[in-house]
């Protein structure tokens, strides 16, 4: 939610430009890939991405994370079938059945002890990393970064919502890199993120009482002064054609970020507080836009402030679009509709505040299959069975 009034140009350079074509890594890499109520199509897509990675197989560990117990049986069966179809016996590729998968922080806490890589990456279920992305990530880490983040590009899709979201995502990525350039702080997203195992130790145990665990990482890592960067090789992420699902996801982001700032604020250093203040200020500006537009009918002052916010937002969109790396991610009409979409998106901030006031910590997914359609999803308790051990498909050996 840090894409309002945040500069989108110039942006901070990528962390590992100029990767030599024949450079090969010597570091072991673990991919943690959580799956929860996924379709077979999502699993097949992920398996194809794993099989296509340009990384030495003897140095790659892939851990697919699914829920233990009856509720996770379907995910486990699908994952087993899809992995077998890919036929990559040369990979250390396992399916871990974990006692808790919601929120994602619980799954990661159970999975981290099984990760034996020098570098550990978190990649969400519907994300397809570029084949050379792991090489670039490890190279960047070896050059002095503690954590690096790949941008996730939304597929354009055919509907207007999907196309506008692709443009909005480009603005968000440009704003994150612009913020890093301007202030030295980095909003760490929760997927396509690579870090040294020792860096993950700085934020473990991952919070299990919130849905925006990665924003807690952001605040903590910025306060600790670690060096973070961005990767040139992006990931692809599935699009959504449903405006309601997109707004619910934004409400989750806003609620989680607001709560993270409130929870962490007393312990934050100046650098961490800069990030928190920018996030809260950005959300406040977003929430104010429709109010000011309504008030502008009777108040000249409100009219001026509303015009200023709209112009500032438009400049941020234009700042992202002027860059060739972002321009081609969406078509012209989609770019033109980002500012109106931001106005609509103000609903997400108000919903986030309402949910936070109610004590709601539920998860809103942008995926086509909603939680309501998943058996037992409404009864899944975050952190349930936290003391139980994870179970693999081969429980007596790694």
């Amino acid at each position: 939610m840090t894409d309002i009034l945040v500069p989108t140009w110039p942006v901070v350079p990528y962390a590992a430009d100029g990767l030599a074509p024949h450079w090969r890594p010597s570091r072991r890499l673990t991919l943690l890939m959580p799956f929860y109520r996924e379709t077979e199509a999502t699993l097949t897509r992920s398996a194809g991405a794993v099989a296509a990675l340009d990384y030495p197989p003897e140095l790659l560990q892939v851990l697919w994370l699914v829920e233990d117990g009856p509720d996770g049986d379907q995910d486990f069966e699908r994952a087993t079938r899809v992995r077998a179809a890919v036929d990559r016996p040369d990979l250390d590729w396992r399916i871990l059945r974990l006692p808790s998968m919601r929120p994602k922080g619980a799954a990661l806490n159970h999975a981290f002890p099984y990760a034996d890589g020098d570098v550990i990456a978190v990649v969400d279920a519907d994300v397809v990393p570029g084949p050379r992305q792991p090489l670039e990530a490890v190279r960047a880490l070896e050059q002095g970064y503690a954590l690096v983040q790949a941008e996730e590009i939304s597929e354009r899709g055919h509907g207007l919502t999907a196309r506008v979201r692709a443009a909005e995502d480009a603005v968000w990525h440009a704003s994150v890199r612009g913020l890093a350039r301007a202030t030295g702080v980095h909003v760490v997203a929760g997927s396509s993120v690579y870090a040294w195992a020792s860096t993950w130790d700085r934020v473990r145990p991952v919070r299990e009482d919130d849905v925006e665990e990665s924003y807690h990482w952001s605040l903590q890592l910025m306060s600790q002064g670690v060096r973070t960067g961005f990767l040139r090789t992006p990931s692809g992420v599935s699009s959504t054609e449903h405006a309601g699902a997109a707004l619910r996801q934004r409400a989750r982001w806003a609620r989680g970020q607001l709560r993270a700032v409130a929870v962490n604020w007393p312990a934050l250093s100046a650098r961490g507080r800069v990030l928190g203040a920018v996030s809260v200020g950005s959300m406040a500006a977003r929430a104010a836009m429709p109010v000011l537009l309504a008030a502008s009918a009777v108040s000249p002052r409100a009219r001026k402030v509303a015009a200023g916010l709209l112009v500032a937002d438009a400049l941020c969109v234009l700042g992202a679009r002027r860059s060739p790396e972002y321009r081609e991610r969406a078509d012209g009409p989609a770019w033109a509709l980002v500012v109106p979409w931001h106005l609509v998106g103000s609903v997400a901030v108000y919903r986030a505040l309402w949910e936070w006031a109610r004590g709601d910590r539920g998860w809103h997914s942008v995926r086509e299959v909603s939680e309501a359609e998943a058996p037992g999803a409404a009864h899944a308790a975050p952190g349930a069975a936290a003391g139980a051990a994870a179970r693999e498909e081969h429980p007596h050996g790694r």
Side-chain angles (χ1 to χ4, degrees):
M1 299 294 286
T2 52
D3 51 0
I4 296 286
L5 307 184
V6 175
T8 54
W9 190 88
V11 295
V12 70
Y14 291 114
D17 270 344
L19 184 64
H22 303 296
W23 177 82
R24 306 304 288 175
S26 60
R27 306 284 187 168
R28 184 158 173 81
L29 168 66
T30 297
L31 299 183
L32 299 180
M33 309 182 78
F35 296 90
Y36 186 80
R37 308 290 195 270
E38 306 298 345
T39 65
E40 189 148 347
T42 296
L43 289 160
T44 300
R45 190 169 180 259
S46 180
V50 169
L53 292 178
D54 181 13
Y55 203 84
E58 69 276 9
L59 296 177
L60 182 61
Q61 179 191 37
V62 180
L63 300 179
W64 273 9
L65 315 178
V66 301
E67 192 171 35
D68 200 1
D71 288 341
D73 285 346
Q74 188 174 63
D75 273 352
F76 175 70
E77 291 166 4
R78 288 172 173 169
T80 302
R81 183 166 57 250
V82 166
R83 185 189 60 172
V86 171
D87 191 23
R88 284 295 304 270
D90 57 326
L91 287 180
D92 179 9
W93 185 351
R94 286 172 281 158
I95 304 169
L96 294 183
R97 303 200 68 176
L98 306 178
S100 180
M101 289 293 294
R102 282 294 177 102
K104 190 168 73 176
L108 295 177
N109 283 332
H110 292 305
F112 269 121
Y114 291 84
D116 59 17
D118 305 302
V119 175
I120 301 173
V122 177
V123 180
D124 281 350
D126 65 334
V127 171
V128 177
R132 289 179 63 81
Q133 185 183 103
L135 289 175
E136 184 187 348
V138 172
R139 181 61 175 158
L141 293 173
E142 289 183 342
Q143 291 178 338
Y145 289 88
L147 177 149
V148 287
Q149 177 85 48
E151 297 178 342
E152 295 186 348
I153 301 175
S154 294
E155 298 169 354
R156 289 192 187 183
H158 301 292
L160 186 60
T161 296
R163 289 158 48 211
V164 174
R165 271 183 48 80
E168 182 194 31
D169 283 353
V171 175
W172 186 81
H173 288 303
S175 75
V176 170
R177 290 176 62 202
L179 182 64
R181 181 75 174 249
T183 66
V185 300
H186 178 180
V187 183
V188 180
S191 177
S192 297
V193 57
Y194 298 74
W196 294 111
S198 57
T199 303
W200 289 114
D201 288 342
R202 291 173 173 263
V203 297
R204 292 176 58 196
V206 179
R207 293 190 71 100
E208 298 185 12
D209 61 347
D210 211 340
V211 293
E212 271 296 282
E213 69 290 323
S214 61
Y215 195 75
H216 289 275
W217 307 341
S218 304
L219 295 170
Q220 293 166 13
L221 293 174
M222 293 306 99
S223 284
Q224 294 168 19
V226 303
R227 187 184 181 199
T228 60
F230 302 87
L231 300 178
R232 178 176 291 278
T233 304
S235 297
V237 63
S238 57
S239 63
T240 178
E241 303 284 355
H242 300 292
L247 291 173
R248 286 193 298 272
Q249 185 190 48
R250 277 205 162 276
R252 170 174 67 84
W253 290 341
R255 169 166 43 91
Q257 290 181 13
L258 288 170
R259 184 171 182 274
V261 172
V263 167
N264 291 287
W265 188 263
L268 295 180
S269 71
R271 192 166 174 235
R273 291 187 175 189
V274 167
L275 175 55
V278 168
S279 299
V280 173
S282 181
M283 282 184 267
R286 183 187 292 274
M289 288 171 72
V291 176
L292 289 167
L293 282 174
S296 64
V298 295
S299 169
R301 178 175 293 180
R303 194 175 307 133
K304 290 179 181 179
V305 177
L309 283 175
L310 290 173
V311 168
D313 193 20
L315 289 174
C316 290
V317 175
L318 291 173
R321 192 177 184 278
R322 71 177 293 173
S323 172
E325 63 194 291
Y326 295 121
R327 185 183 307 128
E328 300 305 319
R329 296 186 186 179
D331 56 33
W335 281 107
L337 289 171
V338 172
V339 173
W341 174 251
H342 281 166
L343 284 169
V344 175
S346 64
V347 174
V349 180
Y350 290 107
R351 175 168 179 158
L353 292 170
W354 176 65
E355 290 177 346
W356 190 15
R358 293 175 56 212
D360 187 350
R361 297 184 186 175
W363 183 281
H364 302 312
S365 174
V366 76
R367 306 263 240 291
E368 304 301 334
V369 179
S370 71
E371 290 185 12
E373 294 169 327
H379 306 290
R391 180 161 60 90
E392 295 183 65
E393 74 270 36
H394 300 297
H396 300 296
R398 291 188 64 179

